[in-house]
Amino acid sequence: MTKDITFEDVTIQKNSGEYLHGRIMGHRDSTRAKRLVFISPLAGSGASLQIITFRNFIKRDCKIMSFEYSGHNKSSGTFNLEKSLEDTSVALQWASNYTRNENIPLHTMSTCYGTISLLSTFKDGENKCGVKTISAVSGLFQMDRILKYDEFLPIYSKYDSRQVRTANEFLDLIAKDKINFNSGSFRDAIELYLKMVFPTLRVGKNYFEELNYARTDIKETLLQTRLLNPLSKLNVPKELSSHFFFGLRDNVLGLVNPIERDKYFQCVKKIMPSAEIYTADIDHFGRGPDHDKVIDKLCDIFEENDRK
């Protein structure tokens, strides 16, 4: 299968003059492509990681596209959460134009944080890009499932002379520029915390996967975790087919615990009442016995909606 796969790197221009790096993967025989699946990535991810994770879509005649947020790898600029929402909107519009030129339908999906940035593009209740479906694997709907201040602050307090006990106290210090993000204490704390949450990912004092902290507006990003709520009053068109897959082994979102899982699903349904929710024997990154089953089910969803 590998020898039959081709990659195309694309540059997506933003009105600001900055640009995003995107990548498209498809079958060498381009006539086989019956749709494009646009993947909104998790923070820290490179474009290649997302499309390789779901490369088996190619077997079902899909092209796959993803991109890198500002501040990541080959994209320009710096990263913060608000900019990532804009990035996703710009990249999705690019994908929409691409599918119109290729005369193929457009489907969207996401993983982890990419779910927040993807859903935010439908906030006004319109489907301007002509998307057929929205899907997610291990979608993030609550920021505090990842950044848990009650777990981070005890770690931070071990490295800093101040005993910061609450999220509001910590964010107030950030707003008043009382936190030195380049200090050893902050970098040691964030490294230890992220390694605890994501033990299999590449984390260091200066980077999280493809995201270098030198290209991250850390102050704004942390403030936005509390002040920015892109999924509030979400107004996704009801006729837009939505499907969300969650792993029974997902320790990152806390879904291993049935009680926490039910609470999370209630949150998802409150935000997206018309969405279909599925569970599978996978972890947060889609690894596990049901990986291929999830891929096949997603492709069934794409094909079914293409026939409508």
Side-chain angles (χ1 to χ4, degrees):
M1 180 66 180
T2 305
K3 69 180 186 311
D4 294 324
I5 290 176
T6 61
F7 293 91
E8 177 186 358
D9 290 307
V10 299
T11 299
I12 302 166
Q13 292 294 148
K14 298 175 63 177
N15 290 336
S16 63
E18 295 181 353
Y19 59 87
L20 306 172
H21 171 69
R23 186 162 244 213
I24 300 172
M25 180 169 69
H27 196 278
R28 190 172 298 278
D29 179 3
S30 59
T31 63
R32 288 185 49 171
K34 295 180 180 177
R35 66 194 61 84
L36 177 71
V37 181
F38 171 89
I39 303 178
S40 184
L42 62 157
S45 174
S48 294
L49 173 63
Q50 295 296 282
I51 58 179
I52 288 174
T53 299
F54 297 98
R55 61 187 177 277
N56 284 348
F57 283 164
I58 303 297
K59 296 178 180 179
R60 297 281 293 269
D61 300 331
C62 301
K63 277 189 175 182
I64 315 168
M65 174 188 171
S66 192
F67 69 98
E68 295 164 353
Y69 295 120
S70 295
H72 287 63
N73 204 11
K74 296 180 181 178
S75 290
S76 67
T78 56
F79 175 81
N80 67 48
L81 297 184
E82 191 167 20
K83 282 184 72 173
S84 73
L85 307 183
E86 175 194 343
D87 292 345
T88 306
S89 179
V90 171
L92 181 58
Q93 184 59 61
W94 190 97
S96 177
N97 294 338
Y98 179 89
T99 56
R100 288 190 179 105
N101 290 334
E102 296 289 315
N103 195 30
I104 55 176
L106 173 62
H107 297 263
T108 61
M109 69 165 293
S110 59
T111 60
C112 196
Y113 171 74
T115 303
I116 290 178
S117 64
L118 177 61
L119 291 178
S120 73
T121 66
F122 300 94
K123 194 174 179 107
D124 60 4
E126 298 183 21
N127 183 11
K128 298 175 182 177
C129 293
V131 169
K132 283 273 192 178
T133 64
I134 304 174
S135 301
V137 177
S138 307
L140 180 66
F141 286 79
Q142 297 171 307
M143 284 298 298
D144 58 6
R145 288 273 169 164
I146 298 292
L147 183 51
K148 301 175 182 178
Y149 282 103
D150 60 335
E151 295 181 3
F152 170 70
L153 291 177
I155 296 173
Y156 178 74
S157 294
K158 288 180 181 179
Y159 291 96
D160 192 281
S161 58
R162 295 165 294 191
Q163 294 299 304
V164 185
R165 293 180 173 82
T166 68
N168 287 338
E169 184 182 350
F170 184 65
L171 293 171
D172 186 56
L173 289 172
I174 292 175
K176 293 177 179 177
D177 293 320
K178 300 293 186 180
I179 302 290
N180 181 359
F181 301 116
N182 293 317
S183 67
S185 58
F186 178 82
R187 293 297 179 92
D188 286 341
I190 200 70
E191 179 186 18
L192 182 59
Y193 176 74
L194 289 175
K195 282 183 174 179
M196 180 180 73
V197 178
F198 301 107
T200 63
L201 298 188
R202 197 174 64 92
V203 177
K205 287 180 174 59
N206 301 312
Y207 59 86
F208 174 68
E209 286 285 324
E210 299 293 337
L211 179 60
N212 192 302
Y213 296 151
R215 297 182 62 196
T216 305
D217 189 337
I218 299 176
K219 175 182 176 179
E220 289 303 315
T221 299
L222 288 173
L223 289 175
Q224 288 164 4
T225 61
R226 277 299 177 95
L227 301 177
L228 195 67
N229 191 0
L231 299 188
S232 66
K233 299 179 182 178
L234 195 67
N235 189 23
V236 176
K238 291 183 176 61
E239 66 275 10
L240 194 49
S241 182
S242 304
H243 306 265
F244 301 131
F245 293 78
F246 296 100
L248 300 175
R249 303 186 185 198
D250 191 338
N251 282 310
V252 175
L253 296 181
L255 305 185
V256 175
N257 184 316
I259 296 174
E260 285 299 312
R261 189 188 314 142
D262 289 342
K263 287 181 182 178
Y264 193 65
F265 290 174
Q266 289 172 21
C267 168
V268 173
K269 291 297 283 187
K270 184 176 180 180
I271 294 171
M272 292 281 292
S274 61
E276 295 286 342
I277 293 179
Y278 310 81
T279 57
D281 190 5
I282 55 174
D283 66 7
H284 186 69
F285 302 99
R287 300 170 299 206
D290 285 349
H291 172 82
D292 289 345
K293 292 180 182 178
V294 171
I295 296 292
D296 285 337
K297 180 60 178 177
L298 283 165
C299 289
D300 290 342
I301 291 167
F302 301 153
E303 292 173 3
E304 178 185 345
N305 281 272
D306 285 346
R307 290 192 291 266
K308 293 181 179 178

